[in-house]
């Protein structure tokens, strides 16, 4: 499975600059005027992973294939977007297609770049959430115009009405604990405010160094602090140069690494590995995924013909030098249909013929 993240913010919050940095190349315009992004720019970014080269070296793999994240740079929303202000309706439609909404909030000062929102990231976030809520209320209102005819439709009507009431009170579906039947109805409504979200503060370089103080100031937002301009500069450097650059700033991880890590956490995703002569590869699944379904991520036929999974702990795999020695020393184990794949495991699936 691939993870898709929509970068959403007010105009000139730094979305296109961050997008360019994430892709490591200039694919999106980063101009100083609103609505420079009309069609969403889409790019696939490799997930930084230091384990893969280690696995590849041990198994003498011919290729390294990391997990990927699809980033969608969605044009700037403005107040009134739900009613069609700016290019609102078109932009809101693009948000429906992503797994996770990344609210990028401006927290840098630059007199050369027009500011669309306030100087308060929390106010900007409120504007963005309000526009998504208004669009969802419009969707729910259409569902409530149809008169229910049976018990099933009556129950659905009541649940939709409850969700609508919550939104009118400023309670987003993604922050409310619904019952099983309610959750089923909610999932079928495809609401913008039901999507998981994360908050990214786009700061100046000097504020990036003082990141802990920003966290203290905005603990209620649980933000990822990045400097889009710094990320853009990092994208032009090789791996060793990036490490030196970050060390010079007193920062351990790049914004990309922090952003992807939190995205995985928000969506409950984990990675497992396959390693052999052909390739060393990372695969992304939901936490709690059973072994047959994990095999199906590699190839749909593998789920149907799954027999068992041979599993090794990553640290053991590295310590003892790969599949052959791990097997000899009894450091691998076989798991069946009911086994839940864990994060960072190295797995080889045994499948039958179709």
């Amino acid at each position: 499975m691939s993870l898709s993240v929509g970068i959403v913010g007010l105009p000139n919050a730094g979305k296109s600059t961050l997008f360019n940095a994430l892709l490591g190349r200039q694919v999106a315009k980063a101009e100083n005027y609103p609505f420079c992004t009309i069609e969403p720019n889409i790019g696939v970014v490799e997930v930084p992973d230091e384990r893969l080269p280690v696995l590849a070296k041990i198994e003498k793999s011919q290729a390294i294939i990391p997990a990927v994240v699809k980033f969608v740079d969605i044009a700037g929303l403005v107040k009134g977007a739900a009613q069609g202000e700016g290019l609102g309706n078109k932009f809101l439609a693009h948000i429906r297609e992503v797994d996770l909404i990344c609210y990028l909030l401006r927290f840098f000062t630059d007199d050369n770049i027009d500011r669309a929102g306030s100087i308060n990231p929390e106010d900007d976030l409120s504007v963005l959430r309000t526009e998504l809520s208004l669009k969802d209320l419009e969707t729910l209102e259409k569902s409530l115009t149809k008169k229910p005819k049976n018990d099933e439709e009556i129950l659905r009507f009541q649940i939709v009405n409850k969700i609508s009431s919550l939104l009118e009170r400023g309670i987003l579906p993604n922050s409310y604990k619904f019952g099983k039947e309610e959750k089923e109805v909610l999932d079928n409504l495809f609401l913008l405010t039901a999507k998981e979200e994360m908050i990214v503060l786009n700061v100046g370089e000097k504020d990036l160094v003082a990141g802990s103080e920003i966290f203290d100031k905005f603990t209620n937002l649980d933000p990822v602090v990045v400097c889009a301009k710094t990320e853009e500069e990092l994208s032009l450097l090789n791996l060793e140069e990036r490490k030196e650059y970050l060390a010079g700033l007193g920062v351990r991880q790049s914004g990309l690494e922090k952003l992807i890590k939190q995205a995985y956490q928000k969506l409950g995703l984990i990675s497992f590995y396959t390693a052999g002569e052909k390739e060393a590869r990372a695969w992304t699944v939901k936490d709690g995924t059973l072994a047959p379904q994990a095999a199906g991520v590699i190839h749909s036929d593998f789920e149907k013909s799954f027999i068992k999974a041979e599993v090794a702990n990553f640290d053991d795999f590295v310590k003892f030098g790969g599949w052959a020695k791990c097997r000899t020393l009894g450091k691998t184990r076989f798991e069946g249909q009911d086994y839940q794949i864990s994060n960072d495991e190295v797995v080889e699936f045994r499948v039958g013929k179709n």
Side-chain angles (χ1 to χ4, degrees), residues 134-270:
L134 289 172
K135 197 64 182 175
D136 282 346
L137 283 169
E138 182 183 305
T139 299
L140 294 170
E141 188 178 344
K142 291 175 182 176
S143 294
L144 292 171
T145 55
K146 185 180 178 181
K147 189 174 180 180
K149 297 177 181 178
N150 52 48
D151 290 345
E152 185 179 342
E153 290 184 1
I154 290 171
L155 177 60
R156 184 182 185 280
F157 183 91
Q158 291 170 340
I159 294 171
V160 171
N161 193 52
K162 176 180 177 178
I163 297 168
S164 181
S165 297
L166 289 170
L167 272 175
E168 287 174 350
R169 286 155 46 202
I171 301 171
L172 303 184
N174 60 19
S175 64
Y176 188 84
K177 191 170 180 61
F178 290 97
K180 184 180 178 182
E181 288 182 329
E182 293 174 328
K183 186 72 168 60
E184 288 174 357
V185 172
L186 177 65
D187 289 344
N188 286 323
L189 290 168
F190 304 104
L191 299 180
L192 302 170
T193 53
K195 291 182 180 293
E196 287 291 340
E197 62 178 39
M198 61 188 295
I199 311 300
V200 176
L201 290 180
N202 185 14
V203 304
E205 188 169 277
K206 65 178 181 180
D207 289 321
L208 180 66
V209 179
S212 60
E213 296 174 19
I214 296 173
F215 275 109
D216 293 339
K217 189 174 182 180
F218 297 106
T219 50
N220 58 315
L221 297 181
D222 186 26
V224 173
V225 177
V226 305
C227 174
K229 289 297 293 181
T230 296
E231 291 298 317
E232 195 168 35
E233 291 166 7
L234 282 171
S235 71
L236 304 175
L237 306 176
N238 63 38
L239 184 59
E240 287 305 314
E241 289 172 333
R242 288 179 196 177
K243 288 181 179 178
E244 290 178 15
Y245 193 110
L246 290 171
L249 293 174
V251 179
R252 287 190 304 163
Q253 286 183 310
S254 71
L256 171 61
E257 291 171 300
K258 291 186 289 184
L259 198 160
I260 290 177
K261 183 178 180 180
Q262 190 175 113
Y264 268 61
Q265 290 172 346
K266 290 282 185 180
L267 291 173
L269 301 176
I270 61 170

